[in-house]
Amino acid sequence: MLDDKGNFIIIEAILAVILLLFAFTIFNLAIFTIDSDYSSELKDSKNAQDIMEFLSGKINFTDKTFLGEISTILQEGKNSKESISEVSEICRDKFSSLNIKNYRFSETNVLDDEVLASSGDYSKSGDVSVAMRTYGDYSYTLSVW
């Protein structure tokens, strides 16, 4: 009879420990739940930076970059209306190929905040992600919303 009581005490102790571990696990899950909205806001806030990094990165392992290409066109055209128009067309095609719906791309140094390409209504934009890059004398600003 003494052995039977000892077995029951061990089984009860094991069940009590399992119940405590289960309760502790549920308590931790309730406290440390990840807020999914936070991760999507973080992704959106990096949108303009990511696009601008892509535009300033080298294409096909050559020394040319998109920002370098449009800066060269503007510089060789001496910032004429024709060169600005050509760059605007190239920029619209580029942003269209990247499937960006609401953006404004402008040059803020040499051309006095000339908008080179845009899509969407900037005045109705809520959260705007902004990135800037400089290539030579030209400073480009990309706003995405």
Side-chain angles (χ1 to χ4, degrees):
M1 282 290 185
L2 292 175
D3 288 335
D4 289 337
K5 283 189 176 182
N7 287 335
F8 286 124
I9 291 174
I10 292 174
I11 291 173
E12 287 178 356
I14 291 173
L15 286 176
V17 169
I18 290 173
L19 285 174
L20 282 173
L21 287 175
F22 183 70
F24 182 70
T25 304
I26 289 178
F27 180 72
N28 278 337
L29 287 175
I31 291 176
F32 296 113
T33 7
I34 297 173
D35 185 13
S36 62
D37 292 337
Y38 176 74
S39 61
S40 65
E41 287 176 15
L42 183 61
K43 181 180 177 187
D44 291 341
S45 70
K46 291 185 176 180
N47 199 10
Q49 292 292 340
D50 293 340
I51 295 166
M52 198 59 106
E53 281 296 316
F54 175 74
L55 295 177
S56 61
K58 296 188 181 200
I59 303 168
N60 296 332
F61 302 108
T62 63
D63 288 337
K64 290 185 176 182
T65 64
F66 178 77
L67 296 181
E69 179 183 338
I70 63 175
S71 297
T72 303
I73 292 170
L74 290 171
Q75 190 172 18
E76 289 176 354
K78 296 184 173 118
N79 304 321
S80 64
K81 289 184 180 182
E82 292 81 19
S83 65
I84 293 172
S85 177
E86 181 182 351
V87 166
S88 294
E89 184 66 31
I90 292 170
C91 291
R92 280 192 294 275
D93 291 342
K94 185 64 152 182
F95 289 119
S96 175
S97 71
L98 295 174
N99 292 327
I100 303 168
K101 294 181 177 139
N102 297 315
Y103 66 90
R104 183 168 74 174
F105 185 70
S106 58
E107 198 289 323
T108 57
N109 189 30
V110 176
L111 302 178
D112 279 335
D113 207 22
E114 175 82 26
V115 176
L116 299 174
S118 69
S119 175
D121 190 0
Y122 187 73
S123 63
K124 294 181 181 178
S125 62
D127 295 328
V128 180
S129 175
V130 179
M132 296 179 70
R133 294 293 182 277
T134 301
Y135 190 91
D137 291 336
Y138 298 95
S139 293
Y140 300 99
T141 302
L142 174 64
S143 303
V144 179
W145 62 95

